[in-house]
Structures are given as C-alpha cells and as structure tokens.
C-alpha cells in the first residue's frame, strides 16, 4: 500500500466473476462504507445496491469496439476523488490484477501520492471453469494450467506446455484464436468449452472439439463475455457441471415485490438457479424522526409491554435511531416479538432473541401466532414502513392497544412508469417463466403496473402464497395455477418448483441445448478413474517432441518452404513457431555471420548471458548440458538489485557491467530490457567487451537501438526482429535454434 498525507483513499476491489455473492467479505464491507464507486461494465450491478445512498457512482465501463473512456482518464478520476477526501472503491469485474489494469491504476495512485489497497476477487479464469464443472487440475489428467488473454497472449511457450489452457476475452476473435492454438500444437480434436456469463443465471456452456467450437458458437449466437477452456479435463464437465443442473436453473421468475428490504424468498429461488426479477422498484425515503424518537424514549421508560418488528429494514432503522439518541438495545424494556425469518435474524445479529417469533409474513397468521404469547391487554409498539392494518385490527379486537410508528416512507411512484415499461417488454418477449405473488399487496402493485389489464399475463404460470392472496388475484382477473400448501417462503419455493416440474415434465430447461456434446469419436469414458485417465491422456496429451514436430510442419506449410532448410531459415521458423505468427518471418533480421559465430561459440562451451529468468526458463536445458555451456542471468540476481538501489541505476545497467567478463566471445540474449542492450552497446563502443553474438528482442528494442543498424555499426553479429514487440519467448526460441544447430553439427562430427 502507498502512504499519503491526504485524507482520501482508494481501494481496488475485485467484484468477482458475475454472481454478486462471490465478492469477498472485505470487499463488501468496503463497498457499504464508500463515498464514491468507480465501476466497470462487468461489475455485478446488484453490488451497486450495497452502496450507501450518498455514494457517488461513476460508470467507466469500456465497451468492446468503442472507446468511451481512456485508462488515463480513469486514473485521473481516482486521483481527483481521493484528493477530495473520499473513500473511493474501484470496483472491477473478476480480480483487479488479472487482465484488469489494476497494476496500472495502482502505479498511477503511487505516482500521485494517494493511499490505496488491493482487495483480491475471484477471477473469471477460475470461476468459469468451476461453474462449468471443469477442474483446472486433476490427478492423471492435468498438473498445470495457464491463463492468457485472447488478444495477445498466444505464444508457443504458453500454449503448447499447458495441460489446461484458459483464454479470457477470446470470443470476439474466436476463429483466429482457434487457428493459432492449432498452429501452435493443440490437437484440433482436443476437448474445449466456451463458458458465457459464468456464475450468473445467464450462464451457457458450449462443449465441442477445439476445431469446431467457433462454428458452433456462431450457430448459437453466443454473446460475450465468454471464457475458452482447452484441455482433457473439459471431458469431466458432463459429470461435474453442478451449476446448470440446479432445479430452477434457466428459469426467469418475476416476484411481485411488496417490501424494500432484501427478500428471503428471492434468495431461496436464486439458490436453486432461478433468475429472479423483482418488481415494482421500491425505495425508502426518510421521514421526520420526531415520532419514532419519542416512541423509543417511551419504550426505554417502560411504557410498552411489547415491541413487534416486521422487517429487517425496520430493525436497522430502529437501531440507527437508538444510536442517534445515545441509547442501545437495553432501551427495549419490553418483550420482543418478530415475524419473518429475516427479521428474526436481524435481531439476533444485534444480540436480541425474540420472546415470540413467527416465520411467516401473513398478518392474520402473525396475529394468531402472537396472541397466545400473552399480548392480551398490552400496549404494543409496532415500528413499521407501512402500517400493518390487519394485524393492528386483530390485536385491538383482543384487547391490545397497538401503536404503529412509521420509521420511513416507501416510495413506489418515482419509478412506476419505468417499471411498467420493463414489465411489458419482458412479457411481450415471453421472457417470464412464472410470476409469484407472496402477498395480496403484490397483486395490487402488479395490477397497477398493467393498468388493470391482466391479459399480458395469459399463459404465464401464477403462484400465490396462500388462499387470501389467490382470492385477491382472482378478483383482479388473474388465473392462479398453484397456491402454496404452506404460507411460508419454503412452501412458496416448493410451489414454484412444482409449476416447473408439471409444465416441463420430461424436458430439459432451455439453457441445456447450449451445452453441446463433443460429438464424433470423443465419447467420455468414466467407467472408473483409472480407465478415464488412461483414455484421455493417451488420446490428447501428445509428447512435447511430437507437438513441436507437428507445429514446425505447420510453420513450413504456412511459409511455403520445405526441408532441407538453410540454418538461417531454421532460426526464422523457430521464431515464427514461438510467436505463433507466420507474418513475423519477413521481419526477422539475421547478420550474415550470426549462425557461424553462434554455433562456434556454443560448440566451444562459451557462456550464454541472459537478462531475465524468463529467457533462461525458455532455454533447452538438455542441449545446454550436452554442449557444456554455462548460463548467467543478470537482472534477477539479488546482489544486482541491491547494487542498483545503492547506485541509483537501472538493474539492467548494473547486470551488464557485472557480467561483462562472461560476455566476451559468448552469446548475449536480451529479451525484455532495452536499457540492458543500450548498456551493452556502450561497453562495446568503449572496447570493454566483445560478444560473439547478440540476440536482442526486448520490448521497445526498435526505439532503443534502431535494430540492425545500431548492431551492424559495431560489426557484431546479431539476430533481431524489426518493427514488432519481441520479448523473452522469441529470444529464447532463436537461442534454442542455435543450440540445435550446434548440437547437430557436433553430433555429425
């Protein structure tokens, strides 16, 4: 975390892959205390409802193909908000540091002196596989996995060596991605899965052989976002796809909302896989606090015999008022009753166990449950959002003196027209599979949105909480299909499930046709762990040498060249193979003496000096051992880092100076650091070092050293690429080609 003297602070929070419940507890707590929220297109919209009412919201989502806001503008916005002294939440889909520009934003905050923290999130790379039933690793099938971007992450070393390959942002260029994967050695018949909208009710999983998955995705019209998974463990999806097998998965259920607080009914339906839409939109507006303040003081003084809570939101408001009055739960000098499981839970979280609790919300049932508890003759305070008239009347009929005190005002009017338009759109598109009326008030609210015309609901199954609600629905012209046998949320959920079972007996839910089978000869073999493992490994896990041989054949075919190849062309082919891009071939520049100089140095056992570990990791260790060539890596050495800090110099400069003795007559491979190459050129100019060969392909190499012109001026043999971004993988590939040539020439002699 960076320190700052300003009072504002930024938290980079991972929102998770799509399901709002997958945000971390830390992230949710920060979101609920935010002053400003800057969110992306893929952040779950439901999480924004967790923000405090005063929190500013800034949509900075980037739409594919359209530049709506630049990264620099987002960085500036975060800095401005923090400098205003605000608690700023940068809410990002997935994890901020996994293809989320989180590192760039953190560096910008560092540069501006803004305090910040990073709160990890569940990446879509992990969640898409888990929710599609694809283990990323599995004993006997896959011991490693690699996550890359579909835009620029497909290089040979990443693709060919991964047991399971996860590609984010692959859908918009899926044909090109598949073509390159096959070009780099993945088998066209290898199992692949495309997971759309992972962890949400809209999730769809398409399984097909790699070579066919783009065609099938187009046929289905599968939209982004989607994650591509390639590897033998995809075959297990048919047995492990738990998410799409839940009883209500793919069903869109409209719940007639009557209360503004979170609904346990909604939570239960979503847990079974339903996509729940709640209408109408209900907001809560503050009221004058004087009545509830006076009532709470009287409660603390012992005036009331009972206090009855009917919603979790009322509990929250009452505790807020108690705190404002300098009171706490000890002010409840009365017996406590509660109805609704959410209300009971809200009280228990505050250390209050109700003397009487009713699980349901129907007012008649609540009254019949409360009266035997000893309310007769008592003065009862009922803090509420809307006066529970039926409950108050029944209590009064039994000698109680109910006092209902609204703590806030419910607003259903401000969004009425928008709700009505949305409801008609959903019904006209036939996107509602059932409508649930948990109370008579819900029937009245939906009737108002339909302007008294029940006909748009014709053909949509209707489920009611109890006989009273069903009677109200009939009175308003609705046909009721199922009435819950038990007037509780559990009973209502069972009623919804029964509608689905009756309506779709012997049919799969609509999302299942999207889960295409692999087809062809790729049957899934799960007659036992050993049998399936042997079958899949033998079918899809080719030896590395065979993958490399097949891929180099594809390179030759793409470039129109056949064996035998000249040594220079063999180096070019290795670079093309590593990049997975035949268009690089014309831009490879190899000095006329490069091959002879490199092979001679390697056969003499001269050192190979590399700038970073990534290059070293890509070298062929077997051939290096055979040729007895020592390998030196500079930048990543701890002593280099310490000296660089002490001298205030780049690590690359210090590394080149420390390793210059090993560079004489050796091969210098620079894959990532332009400053290392510039320092090397300075040493050559000063006649302090004379390498046999320079392999230079760092990012920014063209701008830093003007490629071959700079090297040619020193009369040092070189291998490089003009006009492209190279890097460690290409530098290692060119060096491996030289190692192969040196090894073969020594073997021939």
């Amino acid at each position: 975390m960076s320190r700052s003297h300003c009072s504002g602070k930024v938290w980079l929070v991972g929102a998770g892959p799509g399901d709002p419940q997958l945000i971390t507890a830390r992230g949710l707590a920060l979101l609920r205390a935010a002053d400003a929220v800057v969110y992306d297109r893929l952040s779950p919209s439901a999480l924004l409802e967790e923000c405090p009412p005063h929190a500013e919201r800034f949509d900075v989502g980037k739409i594919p193909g359209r530049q709506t806001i630049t990264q620099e503008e987002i960085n500036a916005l975060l800095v401005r908000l923090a400098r205003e002294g605000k608690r700023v939440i940068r809410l990002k889909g997935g994890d901020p540091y996994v293809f989320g520009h989180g590192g760039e934003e953190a560096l910008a905050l560092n540069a501006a002196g803004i305090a910040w923290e990073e709160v990890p999130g569940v990446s879509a790379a992990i969640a898409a596989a888990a929710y599609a039933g694809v283990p990323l690793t599995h004993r006997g099938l896959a011991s490693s996995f690699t996550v890359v971007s579909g835009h620029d992450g497909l290089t040979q070393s990443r693709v060919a060596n991964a047991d399971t390959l996860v590609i984010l942002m692959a859908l918009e260029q899926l044909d090109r991605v598949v073509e390159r994967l096959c070009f780099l050695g993945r088998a066209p018949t290898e199992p692949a899965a495309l997971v759309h909208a992972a962890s949400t009710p809209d999730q769809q999983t398409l399984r097909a052989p790699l070579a066919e998955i783009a065609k099938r995705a187009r046929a289905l019209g599968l939209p982004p976002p989607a994650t591509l998974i390639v590897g033998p463990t995809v075959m297990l999806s048919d047995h492990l796809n738990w998410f799409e097998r839940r009883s209500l998965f793919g069903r869109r259920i409209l719940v007639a909302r009557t209360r503004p607080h979170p609904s346990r009914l909604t939570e239960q339906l979503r847990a079974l896989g339903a996509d729940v839409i709640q209408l109408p939109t209900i907001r809560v507006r503050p009221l004058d606090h004087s009545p509830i303040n006076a009532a709470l003081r009287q409660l603390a003084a012992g005036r009331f015999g009972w206090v009855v809570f009917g919603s979790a939101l009322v509990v929250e408001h009452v505790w807020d008022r108690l705190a404002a009055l300098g009171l706490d739960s000890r002010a409840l000098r009365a017996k406590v009753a509660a109805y609704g499981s959410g209300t009971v839970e809200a009280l228990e979280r505050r250390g209050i166990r109700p003397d009487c609790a009713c699980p349901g919300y129907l007012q008649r049932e609540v009254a019949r449950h409360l009266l035997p508890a000893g309310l007769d003759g008592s003065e009862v305070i009922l803090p509420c959002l809307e006066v529970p008239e039926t409950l108050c009347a029944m209590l009064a009929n039994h000698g109680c003196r109910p006092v209902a005190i609204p703590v806030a005002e419910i607003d259903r009017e401000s969004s009425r027209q928008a709700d009505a338009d949305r409801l008609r759109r959903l019904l006209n598109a036939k996107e509602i599979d059932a409508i649930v009326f948990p109370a008579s008030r819900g029937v009245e609210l939906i009737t108002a949105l339909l302007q008294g015309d029940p006909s748009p609901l014709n053909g949509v199954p209707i489920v009611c909480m109890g006989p009273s609600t069903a009677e109200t629905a009939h009175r308003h012209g609705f046909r009721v299909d199922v009435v819950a046998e038990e007037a509780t949320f559990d009973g209502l959920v069972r009623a919804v499930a029964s509608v689905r079972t009756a309506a779709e007996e012997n049919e799969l839910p609509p999302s299942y046709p999207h889960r295409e089978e692999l087809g062809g000869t790729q049957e899934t073999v799960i007659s036992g762990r050993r049998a399936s493992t042997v079958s899949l490994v033998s079918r899809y896990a080719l030896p590395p040498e065979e993958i490399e041989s097949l891929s180099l054949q594809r390179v030759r075919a793409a470039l129109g060249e056949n064996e035998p190849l000249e040594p220079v062309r063999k180096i070019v082919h290795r670079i093309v193979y590593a990049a997975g891009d035949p268009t690089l071939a014309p831009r490879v520049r190899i000095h006329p003496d490069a091959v002879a100089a490199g092979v001679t140095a390697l056969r003499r056992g001269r050192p190979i000096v590399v700038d970073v570990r990534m290059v070293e990791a890509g070298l062929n260790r077997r051939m290096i051992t055979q040729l007895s060539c020592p390998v030196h890596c500079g930048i990543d050495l701890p002593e280099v880092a310490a000296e660089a800090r002490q001298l205030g110099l780049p690590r690359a400069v210090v590394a080149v100076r420390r390793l210059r003795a090993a560079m004489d007559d050796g091969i210098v491979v620079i894959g990532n650091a332009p400053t290392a190459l510039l320092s090397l050129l300075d040493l050559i100019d000063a006649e302090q070092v004379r390498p046999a060969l320079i392999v230079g392909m760092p990012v920014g190499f063209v701008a830093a050293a003007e490629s071959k012109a700079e090297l040619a001026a020193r009369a040092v043999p070189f291998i490089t690429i003009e006009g492209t971004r190279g890097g460690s993988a290409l530098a290692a590939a060119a060096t491996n080609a030289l190692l192969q040539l040196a090894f073969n020439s020594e073997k021939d002699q």
Side-chain angles (χ1 to χ4, degrees), residues 424-445:
R424 288 192 176 275
R425 281 197 305 271
L426 291 168
L427 293 172
N428 290 339
K430 300 189 183 303
E431 293 183 359
I432 300 297
D433 296 300
I435 183 167
V436 178
F437 290 125
S440 294
R441 181 64 175 144
V443 177
E444 296 165 357
L445 294 172

Side-chain angles (χ1 to χ4, degrees), residues 427 430 432 450 453-462 477-479 481:
L427 293 172
K430 300 189 183 303
I432 300 297
L450 294 173
D453 178 14
S455 62
L457 289 184
N458 290 344
V460 180
I462 293 177
F478 296 115
R479 185 205 71 256
D481 294 88

Side-chain angles (χ1 to χ4, degrees), residues 241-256:
N241 192 329
W242 61 274
F243 184 69
E244 295 175 29
R245 291 192 178 129
R246 294 177 301 165
S247 59
L248 294 180
F249 181 78
R251 302 295 88 198
R252 180 165 285 164
I253 309 296
L254 174 65
V255 174

Side-chain angles (χ1 to χ4, degrees), residues 18-35:
D19 181 350
Q21 292 186 326
L22 291 181
I23 190 173
T24 63
R26 169 75 169 153
L28 186 59
L30 289 169
L31 195 60
R32 288 170 172 168
D35 297 316

